[in-house]
Amino acid sequence: RVLDLICSYKRHSRGIVAEKNQMNYKCSPPPFDFVLEIYTLQVLSPELREAAMDRIVDCVRADGTLLVISRGWDEPDDPGQMPWPLLKAELRHFESCGLMEVSSEDYFDDEQPPVRRLRIEYRRETE
């Protein structure tokens, strides 16, 4: 099964709805074996990201996997303009929600100029 997460600033029939600093999401159907979060969190303003991560974790079933791919940066560097890269520290929120980091890559891609990327795999332990 594939989970389609949609970020929008207006109501939509499914997905994440971000309005007035409020994050509403219902994972339906029930949690998935594999969830891919790729470049969605980085388009959200920093104050919305933690709530979005909480909803993403809700979609990962016991023994399930979450793969996160995004641009990365370190403080005190300038994050630049949207899409805003993510800090590794921000992504640790997934661990505080009960996921365990399985593997992590911090690398520069082949774009010109090179762009820093993060690829992190998380796993939810059996409940």
Side-chain angles (χ1 to χ4, degrees), residues 41 46 48-58 66 68 87-101 120 122:
L41 289 171
L48 294 175
R49 288 180 181 169
E50 199 168 282
M53 289 182 206
D54 292 341
R55 302 298 72 80
I56 290 168
V57 169
D58 290 344
L66 168 64
V68 177
L87 292 166
K88 282 186 176 181
E90 286 180 284
L91 293 173
R92 284 192 201 102
H93 182 71
F94 286 122
E95 294 174 61
S96 71
C97 293
L99 300 183
M100 180 180 70
E101 184 179 303
I120 304 175
Y122 297 94

Side-chain angles (χ1 to χ4, degrees), residues 1-126:
R1 294 189 271 173
V2 176
L3 172 64
D4 183 15
L5 289 179
I6 298 172
C7 285
S8 173
Y9 284 94
K10 54 186 174 177
R11 297 237 174 251
H12 197 279
S13 62
R14 63 177 192 241
I16 294 174
V17 179
E19 288 187 325
K20 298 180 184 171
N21 294 326
Q22 182 178 358
M23 190 65 61
N24 299 310
Y25 183 77
K26 181 179 180 186
C27 186
S28 178
F32 296 89
D33 296 320
F34 179 79
V35 176
L36 174 63
E37 199 312 290
I38 184 167
Y39 306 134
T40 306
L41 289 171
Q42 67 187 37
V43 300
L44 295 175
S45 58
E47 62 271 8
L48 294 175
R49 288 180 181 169
E50 199 168 282
M53 289 182 206
D54 292 341
R55 302 298 72 80
I56 290 168
V57 169
D58 290 344
C59 295
V60 181
R61 74 179 319 131
D63 282 334
T65 298
L66 168 64
L67 180 60
V68 177
I69 301 172
S70 73
R71 290 177 179 233
W73 72 290
D74 286 316
E75 292 182 298
D77 297 341
D78 178 8
Q81 298 179 336
M82 187 179 77
W84 300 288
L86 301 177
L87 292 166
K88 282 186 176 181
E90 286 180 284
L91 293 173
R92 284 192 201 102
H93 182 71
F94 286 122
E95 294 174 61
S96 71
C97 293
L99 300 183
M100 180 180 70
E101 184 179 303
V102 175
S103 66
S104 175
E105 293 180 73
D106 187 338
Y107 62 98
F108 285 87
D109 63 19
D110 295 331
E111 290 185 25
Q112 292 303 320
V115 175
R116 183 176 178 195
R117 307 277 179 186
L118 302 173
R119 184 173 28 227
I120 304 175
E121 178 184 350
Y122 297 94
R123 185 123 179 110
R124 182 187 292 271
E125 295 297 314
T126 304

